[in-house]
Amino acid sequence: MDESPKVHGSIFFLLKKYVNAEFAAGTWDNLIKLSGAVGEYELTYNYSLQEIGSIVAAASQLTGISHYNIQERFGEYLVPDLFKLYASYLRPEWKTFEVLMHTENVMHGAVRKLNSAANPPVLYVSKVNEKLLIIDYYSQRRMSALAVGIIKGIAKYFGESERINIKPMSDPDAERVQIRVQFL
Ligand code: HEM
């Protein structure tokens, strides 16, 4: 069996939506040509990590934006869509702090249960105190920049961007990265 890391089709679907929203018309087709990726993705399948890596690398080449920033901006962009897809798992009283506290047991847990093809990263979230969370990201996909973007997107969604400081504590391209989320 192929044990190499995979990325779920929903992420490719949202990446295409992001590229179409953010860049000039035709950019997605150019990225697909440049990267040699397939370009069409089903929501119920998953695809090789290399596939998304090559699209992000092509986007970085084409736009001059670093692969880190592309992942981060994409993460920020996809939050409202993710929230729509999994709306029934979000409690109305939750804001950024609570959503982050519940991502592993509720959100990523729901994704794993509902969608056997999806395998979201395990996020160990520690509440240091009422204003500080440490999120321990651990994934062979090495996409902690996307995680930082998703946290920023959640804060933006709740109008809390100004009161949150997000900082990866080590090399963001590593498999394991601690992300510090400080609420001001
Ligand atoms: C709150 C609602 C959330 C939902 C519904 C959600 C859902 C998902 C789904 C469907 C995937 C694709 C999994 C796959 O490729 O098999 C995914 C991946 C991912 N999620 Fe979440 N997620 C949520 C919150 C978060 C948060 C708060 C973070 C970061 C702190 C995060 C970080 C990531 C990352 C980095 C990936 C990419 C795959 C990887 O790095 O291993 N997610 N998520």
Side-chain angles (χ1 to χ4, degrees), residues 68 100 123-126 132-138 143-149 151 165-170 172 176-182:
Y68 180 92
L100 293 176
L123 301 170
Y124 301 97
V125 182
S126 315
L132 179 62
L133 295 177
I134 302 288
I135 300 181
D136 208 338
Y137 167 87
Y138 198 4
M143 293 167 86
S144 83
L146 183 71
V148 168
I151 301 168
N165 241 323
I166 305 158
K167 192 171 183 265
M169 302 303 287
S170 49
R176 186 161 187 198
V177 184
Q178 284 197 332
I179 304 167
R180 193 173 192 277
V181 186
Q182 175 80 61

Side-chain angles (χ1 to χ4, degrees), residues 6-11 46 82-83 85-86 90 99-100 103 107-108 111 115 117-123 135 137-148 150-151 154 179:
K6 298 272 193 283
V7 176
H8 193 243
S10 56
I11 299 291
N46 52 31
L82 266 190
F83 277 11
L85 282 172
Y86 293 91
L90 290 163
V99 170
L100 293 176
T103 294
M107 308 310 301
H108 276 178
V111 172
N115 212 322
N119 176 28
V122 179
L123 301 170
I135 300 181
Y137 167 87
Y138 198 4
S139 168
Q140 277 186 308
R141 289 172 278 203
R142 299 175 185 261
M143 293 167 86
S144 83
L146 183 71
V148 168
I150 293 176
I151 301 168
I154 293 173
I179 304 167

